[in-house]
Amino acid sequence: MRTAFLVAPEGVEQIELTSPWEALVAAGQTPRLVSTAEGTVQAFDHLDKADTFPVDVTTAQTSAADFDALVLPGGVANPDFLRTDPGAVAFVRGFFDAGKPVAAICHAPWTLIEADVVRGRTLTSWPSLRTDVRNAGGTWVDEEVVVCRAAPSTLITSRKPDDLTAFGKTLLHEFGVST
């Protein structure tokens, strides 16, 4: 299973990156960190700078065709940056066009909204995105984890860091990764 984690150069919520990443690694997978720029990404613990992580490949150097699944970690600044980058939005859209599974947590659905892939789907997110999801044609629910199969591409979403255990377990199952 070739899994991409798409993050902006700065602003990803560290635990939302590392928790699902570590779940995949523990299951014998080798995820790849994709960003819009080369170098490292600066993660955050809420509003405080946390660790940096090396970028494996940029959105300009790869496409959804190179991967089997996508994980979109949150953090407020991370998806806000990604949704304004045409290359990042096209990268995300490519997974849906190809019918590949996508997992998004917290504020990450902002990028999904910009890619116009939530229409007709049921998902969850950080509660402040509820109106954005509804305005984009999606159905927002307040649940720990939601799996939506309303289109060829399975969408797994969760609300917040407290949901990471369920999010990780569900994405492993939906990505077809045995533990």
Side-chain angles (χ1 to χ4, degrees), residues 6-121:
L6 177 62
V7 298
E10 174 171 62
V12 66
E13 185 69 30
Q14 182 161 317
I15 193 68
E16 294 174 5
L17 168 63
T18 58
S19 179
W21 183 286
E22 290 166 0
L24 283 162
V25 169
Q29 304 300 304
T30 306
R32 307 253 303 158
L33 189 61
V34 180
S35 190
T36 56
E38 295 179 330
T40 60
V41 296
Q42 175 66 62
F44 279 74
D45 181 10
H46 302 292
L47 299 176
D48 298 321
K49 284 187 177 181
D51 297 324
T52 59
F53 298 88
V55 172
D56 292 312
V57 65
T58 68
T59 52
Q61 299 165 328
T62 193
S63 72
D66 297 327
F67 298 97
D68 301 308
L70 173 64
V71 177
L72 295 169
V76 177
N78 177 54
D80 193 46
F81 177 87
L82 292 174
R83 69 182 175 158
T84 64
D85 184 283
V89 173
F91 184 75
V92 171
R93 179 71 194 193
F95 284 85
F96 288 88
D97 290 345
K100 296 178 180 183
V102 175
I105 187 166
C106 202
H107 289 79
W110 267 339
T111 310
L112 301 175
I113 290 166
E114 190 63 32
D116 194 25
V117 296
V118 301
R119 189 172 320 282
R121 291 180 171 272

Side-chain angles (χ1 to χ4, degrees), residues 1 24 27 29 69 101 169-179:
M1 170 65 63
L24 283 162
Q29 304 300 304
K169 180 179 176 184
T170 303
L171 79 82
L172 289 174
H173 174 75
E174 295 297 325
F175 287 6
V177 176
S178 58
T179 54

